[in-house]
Amino acid sequence: MGDKEPKRIPNYVKFAFGGASGMMATVFVQPLDLIKNRLQLSGQASQSAEPKTSMQVVRSIIKNEGIRTIYTGLSAGLLRQATYTTTRLGIYTWLFESFSKEGVPPNFLTKAALGMLSGMCGAFIGTPAEVALIRMTADGRLPLAERRNYKNVFNALLRIYREEGLLTLWRGAVPTMGRAMVVNGAQLASYSQAKQSLVNTGYFQEGILLHFMASMISGLVTTAASMPVDIAKTRIQNMKNIDGKPEFKGPLDVLGKIVKNEGVFALWKGFFPYYFRLGPHTVITFIFLEQMNGAYNKYILKQEGVGAL
C-alpha cells in the first residue's frame, strides 16, 4: 500500500488559529502601534510642535496622558486582528496547501501572489477596525476640544457610522488593501522562503528558533517595502473635513504632499517603531500560529513534524 496523504487541519481551524495568534501578538506590541501612528501623523501643519522621535513621543505620552495611555486603542487592535489576520492567514494557509504538490511548496513568486491576494481580502474585512484603531491611537495628540474620545472600538464604530456615515468605516480601504498586498506579499512569502532556506542550510529544523529567525528576516523585508503605503493609509484614515472638503484627495495626494512639505525620507517616518512593532508582531504571530498548528497536528490529527507554512 502507498503512503497515506497526511491529514490536514480543517479550514475553519486555520482561520481561528490565524486570528488568535494575531490577537495574542497585539497584546504585546500595541504600545508600538500607538507610537508608530503618532509619528506618521506628525509633521502636519496643524500639529507642527509635536514630538518627532520615538522617545519624544513616549515621554510626551507619559507626561501628558499617563502611562496607561500606551495601550490606547487595544480593543480596536484586537478587533483588527480578529478580522484582518483571521482572514489573511486563514486564506493564505489554505491556498498554500492547495498550491503545494506532493509535499513540495509553491515557488517564491506564487507565495508572494498568494500573500497579496489573502492580504487584500483580509484588509477589506478589517478596514473598519483599522479606521477605529488609527483614530483612537491618534486622539491624544489633538487639543482637548478636537478629540473624539471614543470609549472603545464598538463605541468608535457606532459613532463613526452615526456621525459620518457607513462608507466612512471603509475610508482609506484602497490604500489599506494596497498596503496589505505589499505587507502580505513580502511578509508571508519572505517568511515561507526564509524558513525553507534556513532548513536547507542543515542548521535548523522545525521549532521556535527556526520560526523566530524566519520571522525577523520577514519583518525587516516587510517594513522596508510597506512604509510609504502605510503612512498614506494612516493619514487618510485620520483626516478630517476642512471647510466641508476632505483633507486629502487620495493616496497619491498624501504622498505628494509629504514629499513636498516634509521630504522624501518622511515616507519612512517611524521606521524603527514600525519595525520594532512589525518585527515582534510577526515573530509572535508566527510562533503562536506554528505552535497551535503543531499541537493540533500532534494531539488531534496524531501526526508530528508538520509546519504551518
Side-chain angles (χ1 to χ4, degrees):
M1 294 179 62
D3 292 338
K4 290 183 178 180
E5 282 282 327
K7 296 178 182 178
R8 295 185 174 183
I9 299 174
N11 288 332
Y12 72 90
V13 175
K14 294 175 190 172
F15 278 67
F17 283 176
S21 61
M23 292 174 74
M24 287 186 279
T26 290
V27 172
F28 290 92
V29 304
Q30 179 64 25
L32 296 170
D33 219 12
L34 182 142
I35 295 168
K36 184 267 294 183
N37 289 340
R38 294 278 181 100
L39 280 171
Q40 289 188 334
L41 292 167
S42 69
Q44 295 173 287
S46 60
Q47 299 290 330
S48 57
E50 286 185 299
K52 297 296 190 293
T53 68
S54 300
M55 289 308 300
Q56 288 176 359
V57 170
V58 172
R59 285 197 294 267
S60 175
I61 290 172
I62 293 174
K63 178 182 177 182
N64 300 320
E65 303 170 56
I67 193 167
R68 292 173 58 185
T69 308
I70 63 174
Y71 269 94
T72 295
L74 178 61
S75 61
L78 292 174
L79 181 62
R80 179 179 178 273
Q81 295 301 321
T83 51
Y84 167 64
T85 301
T86 296
T87 304
R88 63 147 183 155
L89 287 182
I91 291 176
Y92 182 76
T93 52
W94 166 57
L95 290 174
F96 186 90
E97 282 191 356
S98 299
F99 279 81
S100 297
K101 303 298 182 184
E102 298 180 355
V104 179
N107 61 40
F108 182 81
L109 290 179
T110 302
K111 291 173 188 171
L114 299 181
M116 293 173 73
L117 177 61
S118 60
M120 182 178 66
C121 296
F124 182 79
I125 300 297
T127 293
E130 182 94 26
V131 172
L133 174 64
I134 296 299
R135 292 185 174 198
M136 291 174 75
T137 54
D139 216 30
R141 61 186 283 275
L142 298 173
L144 289 173
E146 296 181 22
R147 293 182 185 179
R148 297 177 170 108
N149 296 315
Y150 299 134
K151 296 176 182 178
N152 53 56
V153 65
F154 300 109
N155 175 250
L157 296 176
L158 182 61
R159 280 185 51 193
I160 292 170
Y161 167 68
R162 286 178 174 174
E163 297 168 11
E164 303 173 62
L166 179 65
L167 293 182
T168 305
L169 292 171
W170 274 270
R171 174 179 286 172
V174 172
T176 299
M177 292 165 71
R179 169 192 174 274
M181 291 177 71
V182 174
V183 166
N184 286 273
Q187 184 188 64
L188 297 177
S190 61
Y191 176 81
S192 298
Q193 194 68 34
K195 181 181 170 185
Q196 185 178 332
S197 299
L198 289 169
V199 169
N200 289 341
T201 66
Y203 294 105
F204 295 89
Q205 56 185 1
E206 273 295 332
I208 289 180
L209 179 60
L210 172 63
H211 306 156
F212 174 81
M213 294 299 295
S215 298
M216 291 303 292
I217 295 170
S218 172
L220 187 60
V221 172
T222 306
T223 298
S226 65
M227 279 211 70
V229 188
D230 190 70
I231 194 171
K233 172 200 72 68
T234 298
R235 292 200 179 184
I236 286 175
Q237 291 177 327
N238 188 60
M239 72 178 177
K240 294 184 176 182
N241 290 335
I242 300 175
D243 297 327
K245 296 181 179 180
E247 190 176 353
F248 302 110
K249 297 176 182 177
L252 294 180
D253 184 42
V254 176
L255 296 176
K257 287 179 178 177
I258 290 173
V259 172
K260 179 181 178 180
N261 300 325
E262 303 168 49
V264 67
F265 290 109
L267 296 176
W268 283 270
K269 183 177 289 183
F271 181 91
F272 290 107
Y274 187 96
Y275 175 68
F276 290 128
R277 182 261 179 204
L278 184 63
H281 193 277
T282 303
V283 170
I284 298 167
T285 296
F286 281 128
I287 286 177
F288 276 128
L289 181 61
E290 295 270 18
Q291 295 304 305
M292 286 189 287
N293 274 278
Y296 193 95
N297 277 314
K298 181 177 180 179
Y299 297 109
I300 305 298
L301 302 182
K302 307 299 182 183
Q303 57 189 13
E304 298 189 47
V306 180
L309 301 172

